[in-house]
């Protein structure tokens, strides 16, 4: 199918984009990489009368160090994140995750802001934003806001974004030196959306877990952080038994849906296996990390 007719506007600055969005209200929709929006237009599931193409807003396209962390502009493409030496050095878990996003052609166009705004519960970037405690910056004509990632994703394809609010950048606070990490995803074929995925970071102090983070996707209506399991891991000496118990607790904590790809029960089974494997890998990397 082809989209319903729309007018096409192409602002050259963020100020101009925000003004256009305010002027056209609910008639307007932002176009970034188009990888999620254009299929929805083609199937006529969305019929905006105006598309505001932000691809010429150069000030939204950047990737810079900030302290030990990173600032990532909303127009930064998935492939730029995947191949950035700065990302690989500071957040190798993000590099690993981005390699699982769709196919190269889609990663060449898809953007950070587009993926976060689209809020697919089986998308890698929202899960990474949760794992890495990202701050999501937004702007509209009236205000600038900063959202904690955990408060941003409200449901399937639903975020805290208000009408005509633009995601401008995300800020990732640095990870402590020596943090181990792991990313484990199960999909039917390479490039497919995940059936389930797990990302973990582990920091050890004197042989015990000082901090554990566990984020999952594909197993609830939003990506999730398993705060209870993280708290149970803290202070423990890592072992195979501990990883197995955490995996069982993770399996019991998630609330997956059954869909055409997999049953809820199968997703729970995957969660246990992926969490156990992710914890073992993250602990191993933490033990062997340079300090
Ligand atoms: P667009 O399609 O341009 O926009 C998506 C939505 O976000 C629209 O509602 C738009 O108005 C809004 N929007 C865009 N930018 C902003 C902004 N800065 N501020 C506010 N709102 C904004 N993704 C994955 O994570 N994992 C996958 O495995 C995966 N597989 C895919 C497979 C296929 C075949 C396809 C077509 C897509 C797949 N995707 C996957 C989605 C892909 O990552 C998209 O790039 C991403 O979801 C949307 O980014 P975009 O820049 O293309 O946004």
């Amino acid at each position: 199918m082809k989209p319903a007719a729309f007018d096409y506007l192409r602002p050259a600055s963020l100020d101009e984009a925000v003004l256009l969005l305010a002027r056209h209200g609910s008639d307007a929709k932002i176009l970034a990489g188009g990888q999620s929006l254009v299929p929805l237009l083609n199937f006529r599931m969305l019929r905006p009368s105006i598309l505001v193409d932000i691809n010429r807003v150069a000030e939204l396209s950047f990737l810079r160090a900030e302290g030990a962390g990173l600032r990532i502009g909303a127009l930064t493409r998935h492939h730029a994140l995947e191949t950035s030496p700065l990302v690989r050095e500071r957040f190798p878990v993000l590099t690993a995750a981005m390699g699982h996003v769709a196919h190269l052609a889609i990663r060449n166009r898809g953007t950070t802001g587009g993926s976060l705004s689209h809020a697919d519960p089986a998308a890698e970037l929202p899960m990474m934003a949760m794992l890495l405690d990202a701050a999501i910056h937004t702007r509209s004509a009236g205000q600038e806001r900063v959202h904690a990632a955990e408060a941003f994703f409200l449901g399937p394809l639903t975020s805290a974004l208000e009408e005509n609010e633009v995601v401008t950048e995300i800020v990732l606070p640095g990870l402590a030196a020596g943090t181990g990490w792991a990313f484990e995803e199960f999909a039917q074929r390479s490039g497919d959306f995940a059936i389930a995925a797990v990302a973990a970071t582990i920091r050890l102090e004197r042989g015990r877990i000082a901090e554990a983070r566990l984020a999952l996707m594909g197993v609830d209506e939003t990506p999730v952080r398993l705060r209870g399991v993280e708290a149970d891991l803290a202070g423990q000496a890592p072992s195979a038994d501990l990883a197995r118990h955490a995996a069982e607790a993770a399996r019991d904590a998630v609330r997956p849906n059954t869909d055409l790809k997999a049953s809820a029960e199968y997703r729970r089974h995957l969660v246990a296996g992926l969490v156990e494997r992710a914890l073992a890998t993250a602990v191993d990397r933490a033990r062997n990390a340079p300090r």
Side-chain angles (χ1 to χ4, degrees), residues 11-285:
S13 70
L14 180 57
D15 283 344
E16 195 189 339
V18 161
L19 275 178
L20 288 172
L21 290 164
R23 186 177 306 151
H24 295 289
S26 60
D27 293 335
K29 201 89 187 122
I30 297 173
L31 172 69
Q35 300 304 302
S36 298
L37 180 62
V38 171
L40 292 173
L41 298 179
N42 283 345
F43 285 115
R44 301 201 176 194
M45 293 166 79
L46 286 176
R47 291 165 172 258
S49 54
I50 295 163
L51 283 192
V52 177
D53 179 349
I54 58 171
N55 282 280
R56 291 235 172 136
V57 181
E59 68 210 89
L60 291 179
S61 184
F62 61 86
L63 186 52
R64 344 184 226 275
E66 164 129 319
L70 276 183
R71 301 184 84 98
I72 303 170
L75 261 186
T76 306
R77 309 283 168 186
H78 302 330
H79 188 58
L81 285 186
E82 181 191 2
T83 54
S84 156
L86 192 59
V87 174
R88 183 176 296 277
E89 178 202 318
R90 294 181 173 211
F91 298 100
V93 66
L94 179 55
T95 305
M98 295 316 292
H100 288 265
V101 176
H103 307 279
L104 182 57
I106 291 162
R107 297 199 293 273
N108 272 333
R109 291 302 302 164
T111 66
T112 303
S115 179
L116 296 172
S117 310
H118 192 58
D120 191 308
E124 284 77 4
L125 258 171
M127 174 169 85
M128 284 297 113
M130 300 270 281
L131 178 80
L132 299 172
D133 290 331
I136 299 172
H137 292 239
T138 63
R139 211 175 122 185
S140 59
Q143 60 177 347
E144 289 183 21
R145 301 201 289 164
V146 181
H147 311 253
E150 261 183 289
F152 187 75
F153 303 104
L154 303 181
L157 310 189
T158 308
S159 74
L161 275 180
E162 286 170 5
E163 189 175 280
N164 300 323
E165 199 173 11
V166 185
V167 173
T168 54
E169 64 173 314
I170 66 166
V171 179
L172 304 182
L175 293 170
T179 299
W181 62 274
F183 182 86
E184 296 286 343
E185 174 164 323
F186 187 84
Q188 280 169 323
R189 298 167 304 188
S190 164
D192 280 7
F193 274 103
I195 292 179
V198 172
T201 63
I202 294 281
R203 184 167 60 80
L204 298 174
E205 269 175 21
R206 289 184 285 282
R208 289 185 177 269
I209 295 173
E211 189 197 19
R213 298 189 203 175
L214 264 180
L216 286 79
M217 69 181 197
V219 295
D220 207 328
E221 308 229 306
T222 64
V224 289
R225 273 287 287 274
L226 295 186
R227 296 279 183 185
V229 182
E230 293 176 5
D232 289 346
L233 286 166
Q236 307 280 338
S239 67
D241 270 357
L242 183 71
R244 196 163 49 251
H245 283 126
E248 286 164 5
R251 179 196 61 205
D252 295 343
V254 296
R255 294 174 304 149
N257 289 321
T258 292
D259 61 21
L260 286 175
K261 280 188 181 168
S263 67
E265 203 40 47
Y266 182 59
R267 285 194 158 94
R268 278 206 192 85
H269 171 75
L270 280 177
V271 163
L274 295 176
V275 166
E276 188 172 350
R277 198 184 299 167
L279 287 175
T281 303
V283 165
D284 202 41
R285 286 193 169 119

